[in-house]
Amino acid sequence: MRKILPTITTISHSTWQAKIKEINEMGLNEVAVFPTCLNAAARKKLYKLLEKSSVKSIPLVHLRSDMELEELDYFVKKYGTKTFNIHSQSESPIPRDYLKYKDIIFIENVFNPLDEEELQNFGGICLDLAHLENDKLTEKEKFEHNFKILEKYPIGCNHISCMKKASCISEIGTTRYDDHFFENFSNLDYLKNYPLKCFSSIVAIELENSIQEQLKVKKYIEKIISSKFYR
């Protein structure tokens, strides 16, 4: 069964608390959690709020390399987390003690091409479909490299965000059409270009939008994926 999960994202430090409030108001018990932009002190605050929330299950957590092993243990034991993702070693160091969970840690395609040697040491790929689509538009060689690797390693989870018509320049100087803020459903139509095999059993909606808006996005993604079964 495929899980498409609303996500507590933390790119904007002003919205993640509001997302937890929404989750409580709706009584949601299952979400993905991306503490990607939170330092240790802010993560402690996040964990305390989660413990007081309606959340019982967190299938996917986006790691950052300054997280202690005890934090991974916490998610596994308290929320039954079965999947982690992290950026590649070339973008941020992966602590050696994370190898305890190597079979359930998946390497995300972000700025650098996927490294097969690194993938062999972990569970496989966290396929961010918007990053992949952006590469298709701006870095053809990288796109082709990563797309070939998808045939060789398991896709353990997905991130789904938006594609915009206008580009911007990232902090490292690359051209980006992918974006973490949803405006309309056409932002998601790029997903129609990818075969069913690109969608794993755990899909996280990586948007800064409210949980209510993410649930609308979830329904739209479900329609796109369902249509692929009948092709």
Side-chain angles (χ1 to χ4, degrees):
M1 180 179 176
R2 182 174 285 107
K3 291 179 184 287
I4 301 176
L5 301 165
T7 302
I8 300 172
T9 53
T10 56
I11 296 169
S12 170
H13 287 206
S14 62
T15 62
W16 64 265
Q17 297 97 326
K19 288 183 174 66
I20 295 177
K21 184 179 178 183
E22 272 191 280
I23 286 164
N24 290 335
E25 289 170 350
M26 295 181 192
L28 298 182
N29 57 29
E30 188 169 60
V31 295
V33 174
F34 286 21
T36 329
C37 297
L38 300 183
N39 61 24
R43 292 197 303 274
K44 286 181 181 178
K45 184 176 180 181
L46 168 67
Y47 302 158
K48 286 181 181 178
L49 290 176
L50 281 173
E51 287 175 8
K52 296 175 183 176
S53 76
S54 59
V55 174
K56 305 299 179 190
S57 172
I58 302 175
L60 170 62
V61 175
H62 189 323
L63 300 175
R64 46 181 280 160
S65 58
D66 70 341
M67 291 175 73
E68 300 290 341
L69 181 61
E70 289 77 12
E71 293 177 75
L72 281 67
D73 293 337
Y74 169 79
F75 280 109
V76 170
K77 291 173 183 176
K78 186 163 184 65
Y79 297 104
T81 302
K82 292 183 174 151
T83 308
F84 295 108
N85 85 271
I86 196 166
H87 293 182
S88 70
Q89 180 77 37
S90 61
E91 292 164 21
S92 58
I94 300 175
R96 287 189 61 81
D97 56 6
Y98 282 15
L99 291 175
K100 174 181 177 180
Y101 291 112
K102 66 183 180 65
D103 292 337
I104 61 168
I105 294 177
F106 296 85
I107 306 299
E108 182 184 352
N109 57 310
V110 191
F111 294 118
N112 297 324
L114 290 169
D115 184 322
E116 288 200 65
E117 185 175 346
E118 184 172 53
L119 289 171
Q120 289 166 9
N121 292 324
F122 292 94
I125 298 166
C126 166
L127 181 59
D128 186 309
L129 285 155
H131 291 342
L132 188 66
E133 181 73 3
N134 189 79
D135 292 341
K136 186 173 162 183
L137 297 175
T138 64
E139 297 183 77
K140 204 80 170 183
E141 188 175 332
K142 178 183 163 191
F143 169 80
E144 290 172 357
H145 166 86
N146 284 349
F147 202 79
K148 285 179 183 176
I149 286 182
L150 298 182
E151 298 289 338
K152 300 171 68 174
Y153 296 91
I155 300 171
C157 54
N158 293 105
H159 296 176
I160 288 180
S161 50
C162 294
M163 290 294 294
K164 300 292 181 68
K165 290 183 179 179
S167 66
C168 65
I169 303 300
S170 75
E171 65 272 16
I172 64 167
T174 58
T175 301
R176 311 300 307 185
Y177 289 90
D178 49 342
D179 193 88
H180 292 104
F181 193 83
F182 167 78
E183 293 174 342
N184 56 66
F185 291 122
S186 66
N187 297 156
L188 300 166
D189 284 342
Y190 74 95
L191 297 171
K192 297 174 183 177
N193 300 329
Y194 291 96
L196 188 60
K197 65 183 179 181
C198 288
F199 296 83
S200 70
S201 59
I202 299 179
V203 178
I205 299 169
E206 190 179 8
L207 295 174
E208 284 297 290
N209 298 72
S210 69
I211 297 297
Q212 187 174 16
E213 289 174 319
Q214 288 188 37
L215 291 175
K216 292 177 183 176
V217 167
K218 175 181 175 178
K219 289 182 180 179
Y220 194 73
I221 295 170
E222 286 172 342
K223 287 180 183 176
I224 291 174
I225 293 175
S226 294
S227 70
K228 297 178 185 295
F229 283 102
Y230 302 105
R231 288 183 180 177

